[in-house]
Amino acid sequence: NAGVTQTPKFRVLKTGQSMTLLCAQDMNHEYMYWYRQDPGMGLRLIHYSVGEGTTAKGEVPDGYNVSRLKKQNFLLGLESAAPSQTSVYFCASSSDHQPQHFGDGTRLSIL
Amino acid sequence: GENVEQHPSTLSVQEGDSAVIKCTYSDSASNYFPWYKQELGKGPQLIIDIRSNVGEKKDQRIAVTLNKTAKHFSLHITETQPEDSAVYFCAASGNSNYQLIWGAGTKLIIKP
């Protein structure tokens, strides 16, 4: 009964470093999403995918890249981390016209 | 684009009393309105949702009301309990469940 699993749970990076956040879902959902959550701002959509091999930009895509090579996985990449990318990152998945299910987040600090 | 405003940012109520959180949206084409509860260190979890063809929906102590004319919707929690303490988010979307636009959240505190 895993649902949506995010790895890692915590990470500290130095400015300019790169990393990839992993998201896996076992519900056979078509849609997957990456959000960032900052204090007082709710959740903002970074990128999303409507199916394997497809990705699209959300509200705040700059500085991030994504890939969906397998239906169950959605990867979020930071090529050159900046302090402004310090945030909590959430992955979610859903079927069409069904609610989104969230993972428990990755807490990322950029020094 | 769509904008969702949520009020209040913090709400403190006595255990057993009712709590009401309100959201307004800007896009009249929005037709799906979910509410999520987020506990500390966890991801948001759906607690109730409503579509624009319905004015009210209830699930035990939780209810959501929608006023399409005024473009606002509200979450009502009755007989509040300590485990209701959390941050609550409203959201709105148009033709599909992706591209949800989120409110800023309400921290609900239940006082014993």
Side-chain angles (χ1 to χ4, degrees):
Chain A
N1 194 23
V4 177
T5 303
Q6 294 184 233
T7 54
K9 296 187 185 305
F10 305 93
R11 185 73 185 267
V12 178
L13 290 179
K14 294 181 179 179
T15 298
Q17 288 185 317
S18 63
M19 78 162 294
T20 300
L21 280 63
L22 312 179
C23 178
Q25 54 95 4
D26 62 1
M27 296 172 283
N28 200 36
H29 286 165
E30 287 294 327
Y31 300 156
M32 296 188 74
Y33 319 81
W34 274 108
Y35 291 93
R36 60 177 289 172
Q37 184 176 42
D38 300 295
M41 298 186 71
L43 287 93
R44 293 183 291 169
L45 184 65
I46 304 171
H47 286 280
Y48 64 98
S49 168
V50 300
E52 181 179 322
T54 72
T55 63
K57 294 180 179 180
E59 182 185 357
V60 289
D62 294 343
Y64 305 95
N65 56 76
V66 289
S67 64
R68 183 113 181 258
L69 299 180
K70 294 183 178 180
K71 185 177 183 179
Q72 64 267 34
N73 297 333
F74 196 28
L75 309 182
L76 178 70
L78 285 73
E79 292 183 346
S80 179
S84 61
Q85 294 178 304
T86 293
S87 188
V88 182
Y89 292 86
F90 286 99
C91 176
S93 70
S94 73
S95 296
D96 193 19
H97 290 90
Q98 294 299 316
Q100 295 181 20
H101 297 258
F102 284 80
D104 283 337
T106 294
R107 284 143 186 85
L108 183 61
S109 292
I110 316 295
L111 304 179
Chain B
E2 173 72 284
N3 182 50
V4 176
E5 293 189 358
Q6 182 172 347
H7 299 280
S9 57
T10 304
L11 178 60
S12 183
V13 302
Q14 205 70 37
E15 182 179 349
D17 289 348
S18 295
V20 180
I21 302 170
K22 300 180 180 180
C23 289
T24 60
Y25 60 98
S26 60
D27 188 349
S28 57
S30 293
N31 58 16
Y32 175 66
F33 308 93
W35 285 91
Y36 282 79
K37 176 183 181 182
Q38 186 177 26
E39 297 177 337
L40 195 62
K42 298 290 186 181
Q45 184 175 19
L46 180 78
I47 55 172
I48 195 166
D49 57 5
I50 192 168
R51 298 191 184 273
S52 59
N53 58 347
V54 176
E56 182 177 5
K57 184 177 179 180
K58 290 183 180 180
D59 183 3
Q60 299 182 1
R61 297 186 297 107
I62 295 173
V64 56
T65 59
L66 172 64
N67 184 326
K68 288 181 62 180
T69 302
K71 290 190 285 188
H72 67 70
F73 56 111
S74 300
L75 177 71
H76 305 253
I77 305 174
T78 59
E79 301 174 8
T80 54
Q81 301 171 2
E83 55 264 35
D84 294 330
S85 293
V87 179
Y88 291 81
F89 291 94
C90 64
S93 76
N95 292 328
S96 179
N97 285 13
Y98 53 88
Q99 300 281 21
L100 284 173
I101 303 300
W102 295 75
T106 296
K107 183 177 183 179
L108 178 61
I109 301 167
I110 308 301
K111 298 180 291 184

